[in-house]
Amino acid sequence: MILSTAASFWTSTIVLLYLHSGDCAEIIDGKEVKPHSLPYMALLEDKKGNKMCGGILIHQQWVLTAAHCTDINKVFLGVHSIKQEEKETRQVRKVKGRIPHPCYDPIYKVNDIMLLKLDKIVKQTKAVKPLELHVPVADVQAGTHCSVSGWGATKNNAKTMSDVLKSTNVTVIDRRICNSADYYNMTPIITYSMLCAGSVDKTRVDSCQGDSGGPLVCGGELSGVVSFGKECGIKKKPGVYTLISKIYFDWINKTMRKSLIA
């Protein structure tokens, strides 16, 4: 169901219950992580050789990322520093298949999730290990503290990514607040298949350009995928994440099973 811009608030609120769900996606006020302490992190490269997005290794041959990360051709695993060779830890795989969610809509930013099938399985090591999805996420309550990680730029309008992997803590924000006039004003609508997370005090924490497709981890479990935002580090324009709800959990598992059988 697609809403026109003239749709009423109440109609939009009802549609919010049924819609299933990328601009700014850098680590603002983040800290460098201990090298290879997040072995599921993937760095994605497009056909032109540009490092442009993050991803999550969820299976020895599959990486989860955002659907708006187009033309991904190569996946780097076991990376901490982009500039260093890291021969002892790094594994590089070509992308055999790109499978965005069939209902991804770049205008309304819903269903911003994609699977990448690697050309061959990765070797599990201390630096490369999947973050497996065990159960779908029912929801994440407002006020929950989560972490987001990536190689994205570290300040607004930065033209280069961070050389090293960074992480920061963000707080989940109530969808009603995120949809309010002071925040996203329902443009786009933050649906029940999305999460808003950012700053709730005087700090400026966020994800942004270069972090798209990276993980939002809450309570040690993968809860979301970096999708979009408005610029970076703006309190009333927090980062928005695709929630790994049952609809996506089922789609992920069905897609991987079908591909393995084929």
Side-chain angles (χ1 to χ4, degrees):
M1 182 181 296
I2 300 299
L3 295 180
S4 69
T5 55
S8 70
F9 172 81
W10 291 110
T11 301
S12 297
T13 302
I14 292 170
V15 172
L16 177 62
L17 298 174
Y18 297 98
L19 271 175
H20 296 288
S21 341
D23 310 302
C24 166
E26 79 193 63
I27 297 298
I28 300 292
D29 195 31
K31 293 180 173 59
E32 181 178 352
V33 304
K34 179 181 177 182
H36 313 300
S37 59
L38 304 177
Y40 49 82
M41 287 297 302
L43 179 63
L44 311 185
E45 182 181 277
D46 67 11
K47 292 179 179 179
K48 296 181 180 179
N50 300 312
K51 308 290 191 301
M52 58 175 296
C53 281
I56 311 110
L57 184 70
I58 60 170
H59 177 278
Q60 283 183 280
Q61 201 170 359
W62 292 91
V63 168
L64 187 66
T65 188
H68 74 266
C69 293
T70 57
D71 295 326
I72 301 302
N73 186 55
K74 195 174 291 185
V75 174
F76 295 79
L77 300 149
V79 178
H80 179 68
S81 166
I82 296 176
K83 295 178 181 178
Q84 300 298 320
E85 291 187 9
E86 300 176 327
K87 292 181 179 180
E88 294 183 358
T89 61
R90 190 172 295 196
Q91 298 183 44
V92 183
R93 296 290 185 271
K94 291 182 180 180
V95 174
K96 182 178 180 179
R98 295 185 293 272
I99 310 171
H101 192 279
C103 297
Y104 168 56
D105 189 319
I107 297 175
Y108 292 90
K109 303 183 187 300
V110 293
N111 306 304
D112 189 12
I113 193 167
M114 176 169 64
L115 281 166
L116 301 175
K117 185 175 183 180
L118 308 181
D119 62 340
K120 57 182 180 179
I121 64 173
V122 300
K123 179 182 179 181
Q124 289 200 54
T125 65
K126 289 184 178 180
V128 178
K129 187 178 299 183
L131 179 60
E132 297 179 358
L133 298 175
H134 299 292
V135 294
V137 180
D139 200 3
V140 182
Q141 296 299 311
T144 301
H145 298 295
C146 306
S147 66
V148 58
S149 310
W151 290 270
T154 56
K155 60 182 179 180
N156 216 349
N157 299 320
K159 295 181 179 180
T160 58
M161 296 174 67
S162 168
D163 173 53
V164 296
L165 181 60
K166 292 191 173 185
S167 180
T168 194
N169 294 323
V170 292
T171 303
V172 176
I173 299 168
D174 191 291
R175 291 183 185 88
R176 291 172 295 180
I177 294 175
C178 216
N179 274 311
S180 68
D182 285 344
Y183 280 69
Y184 280 100
N185 195 28
M186 304 190 84
T187 309
I189 298 171
I190 308 303
T191 76
Y192 282 126
S193 285
M194 299 176 181
L195 285 174
C196 276
S199 305
V200 295
D201 51 28
K202 293 182 179 180
T203 60
R204 291 176 66 251
V205 293
D206 202 0
S207 57
C208 197
Q209 289 91 357
D211 289 323
S212 289
L216 180 74
V217 176
C218 308
E221 296 292 334
L222 179 61
S223 298
V225 176
V226 179
S227 181
F228 69 92
K230 180 68 173 178
E231 297 185 5
C232 308
I234 299 176
K235 184 175 181 180
K236 293 188 176 181
K237 295 292 186 289
V240 181
Y241 303 78
T242 302
L243 176 70
I244 310 298
S245 56
K246 188 176 187 302
I247 187 171
Y248 298 130
F249 181 85
D250 290 345
W251 172 76
I252 289 167
N253 283 294
K254 180 180 179 181
T255 300
M256 291 195 301
R257 285 197 304 269
K258 183 178 179 180
S259 179
L260 289 172
I261 292 172

